[in-house]
Amino acid sequence: MNDNNIDRHPSAKRLSMARCLGLLAVAGAWSVVQAQAVAVAADPAAEPANPYGLAALWAQGDLVAKATLLILLVMSLASWTVLLTRWWDGVKLAREARTAGGAFFDAASVDAGMQALPPGGAYRVLTERALHALRSHQGEITQQIDRNAWVMMNLQRALDERHARLQDGLSLLATVGSTAPFVGLFGTVWGIYHALTAIGIAGQASLDKVAGPVGEALIMTAIGLAVAVPAVLGYNALVRRNKLAMEPLRAFGSDLHGLLMGARPLR
């Protein structure tokens, strides 16, 4: 078995699925935005149903305001895509942990126990890597390293790869959580600037003239917070979940290492 090809295809499938979900979400949101823009262009004089809502913000906003809204939308879609895909990976890993120990250690042999594990799963891949390391140790080059150290090195590498895969996308969540409020604040400042400019040109500062533009600008801050809060909460939840999910896998790897070291050399 080629060590470099183990567990590569499942990772590619998960990455493709995440990209497809993100692209579909962006395409759907962009279709809604285009439909709204066409409706406004068809009847520019039409007043939005809520003169202080999102529709009014989009209809009356300039290019910078619309670009800010689209940036926040993309950030939100990206963070939710990471949250859902990483959550599903954690669910599968927890499901494997509940059955892997009994299915493996109740088998008649190490190979039979490996076949009892779910194909492509973390516990199956860990066992495959350990067996591959043990069998490859019989080569002339690898025999220069202690068998115990060689198997442990390969097990640790497999565990690190699995942990790195669980961490995929967390940096994106951290980035969204830390920058989305400032992107929304930029939209707010830009909107208030245009509102004050319009008031200065009109020469009127009555409540009905100020409430609409300033309220629409403040919506940007609310949207920025709505994008950032799920990303921050999701990041913290996934970090803790990943730590808990890796503990059973590391324990399984330790038991597997002890089992292989006590077994006779495999042919």
Side-chain angles (χ1 to χ4, degrees):
M1 182 182 299
N2 189 350
D3 185 39
N4 294 328
N5 293 330
I6 293 176
D7 199 32
R8 178 177 297 176
H9 297 295
S11 176
K13 291 180 180 178
R14 278 190 293 269
L15 184 59
S16 299
M17 182 181 298
R19 288 177 177 174
C20 289
L21 288 174
L23 289 175
L24 288 175
V26 171
W30 181 247
S31 299
V32 173
V33 170
Q34 283 185 323
Q36 190 176 32
V38 170
V40 172
D43 190 6
E47 292 290 336
N50 181 6
Y52 306 125
L54 289 173
L57 175 62
W58 179 264
Q60 300 173 12
D62 59 358
L63 181 61
V64 175
K66 292 179 179 180
T68 304
L69 283 173
L70 290 177
I71 291 173
L72 289 172
L73 175 63
V74 171
M75 294 172 71
S76 179
L77 292 174
S79 62
W80 278 107
T81 300
V82 172
L83 282 171
L84 293 176
T85 52
R86 294 287 81 81
W87 172 81
W88 178 242
D89 287 343
V91 168
K92 292 192 295 184
L93 189 58
R95 186 184 303 165
E96 293 174 22
R98 289 193 293 267
T99 59
F104 180 81
F105 292 105
D106 291 342
S109 64
V110 176
D111 286 302
M114 182 184 67
Q115 297 300 325
L117 298 175
Y123 290 82
R124 175 72 171 266
V125 171
L126 192 65
T127 306
E128 291 175 347
R129 295 285 289 270
L131 288 174
H132 176 77
L134 191 61
R135 290 179 172 126
S136 65
H137 186 262
Q138 299 177 14
E140 182 177 351
I141 297 178
T142 55
Q143 281 187 347
Q144 300 178 22
I145 305 176
D146 180 69
R147 186 168 71 116
N148 176 56
W150 176 252
V151 175
M152 176 59 72
M153 287 166 52
N154 282 268
L155 276 173
Q156 187 60 47
R157 189 179 298 115
L159 289 170
D160 291 341
E161 290 174 0
R162 176 59 59 173
H163 186 257
R165 181 173 303 163
L166 291 176
Q167 298 291 107
D168 283 347
L170 294 190
S171 59
L172 173 64
L173 293 180
T175 302
V176 171
S178 60
T179 59
F182 296 101
V183 176
L185 183 60
F186 168 78
T188 299
V189 173
W190 186 262
I192 291 177
Y193 163 73
H194 280 282
L196 294 176
T197 301
I199 292 172
I201 294 175
Q204 298 179 355
S206 59
L207 183 61
D208 60 335
K209 297 293 184 180
V210 175
V214 173
E216 293 167 4
L218 292 176
I219 291 176
M220 289 285 195
T221 300
I223 295 176
L225 293 175
V227 173
V229 170
V232 172
L233 295 178
Y235 174 86
N236 293 331
L238 288 177
V239 167
R240 181 178 182 276
R241 196 283 317 274
N242 291 344
K243 180 180 178 181
L244 295 177
M246 286 300 299
E247 289 179 358
L249 186 60
R250 294 186 189 279
F252 178 83
S254 178
D255 295 339
L256 177 62
H257 176 260
L259 177 64
L260 293 179
M261 290 302 97
R264 293 178 297 175
L266 300 177
R267 299 295 181 185

